Amino acid sequence: MINNFIDISDYNKSQIDEIILIAKNIKKNPKKFSSVLKDKTLGMIFEKQSLRTRLSFNLGMKKIGGHVLELSSKDIGFDNIREKSEDVLRVLSQFIDCLMIRNNDHKKLVDLSNQKIIPIINGLTNYSHPCQILGDFLTIQEKIQNFQNCTITWIGDFNNVLISLLQLQNIYLFELKVVIPSKILKSNQKQIKKFKNKKNEFISDPKLGALKTDCIMTDVWLSMGEKNKNKIKYFKNFTVNDKILNIASKKVIFMHCLPAKRGQEVTSKVLDGKHSVVLEQAKNRMYIQQAILIYVLKK
Ligand code: CP
Ligand code: NVA
């Protein structure tokens, strides 16, 4: 049986709760898990830059007893030119137990994972970033009392991190306000329709979105591989600053998956300020990915 971790929407609530619980237990008692994936090997292919995902998977896997091999896509010929990517996977499956891939082509990742040759984990694609949002969900549960009834506000682009957040919201049905520039909102109507429910709203006014919210989340306005650099002009008044934070709940937390462009989507004052949980958020990536690895490899 081969388990993949491609998108949050592939899982149900009890499965996600189980992954979160494993992460919380590892965080509480890491020693208990120090050899749970003994002698298992994780391969990692990064076709895009990464600091947090690279470190958290690498150290996370080692801390639970496993080995890690970082493979350069170019060097191993993971390009369908030297040989078919499926054939690369077949060979890899003789040496390693699981493969994390970060690439730009979500469809390629889905197609490869459907072959069920080796467990594949999505380390970010152009479409989604599920490890990030599950890690963020862990942080939200730690930081917001009564998180079931909290309101989360996204202020930014319609991008991969938001898609994973929307998939999570569609399962847990927390209040979600998605604030996106009107031009970008209009051009994503088809997707929005797919995710729309009674508990989420899609608007273009950051102040309205921030009102009394418990959590403000943002991300870069131009993701890696984004071709339309012109779209930056649509984000006027979208910088998360003190004014926006002051409208929110007193205990609001500020979240950003990082890397951040200081002065663009967020001011340095907010990013480094007392409401910001971005570093804990980065650290929680490790616990959630350890839990995902255990879930994928042990089930
Ligand atoms: N947040 C995140 O995925 O960071 P990296 O791109 O540095 O891995
Ligand atoms: N949306 C960003 C996330 C980086 C972790 C990107 O894809 O570049």
Side-chain angles (χ1 to χ4, degrees), residues 48 102 124 129 159-161 219-220 222-224 257-259:
K48 291 173 163 192
R102 169 171 285 199
L124 177 150
H129 196 2
N159 69 9
N160 45 7
V161 177
D219 185 12
V220 287
L222 289 181
S223 286
M224 293 180 280
C257 61
L258 304 180

Side-chain angles (χ1 to χ4, degrees), residues 49-53 102 129 132 224 257-259 285:
Q49 288 183 319
S50 170
L51 168 66
R52 284 140 287 260
T53 308
R102 169 171 285 199
H129 196 2
Q132 179 70 52
M224 293 180 280
C257 61
L258 304 180
R285 294 286 307 280

Side-chain angles (χ1 to χ4, degrees), residues 211-226:
L211 196 69
K212 293 186 178 153
T213 193
D214 303 295
C215 168
I216 294 178
M217 249 190 217
T218 188
D219 185 12
V220 287
W221 293 341
L222 289 181
S223 286
M224 293 180 280
E226 174 73 61

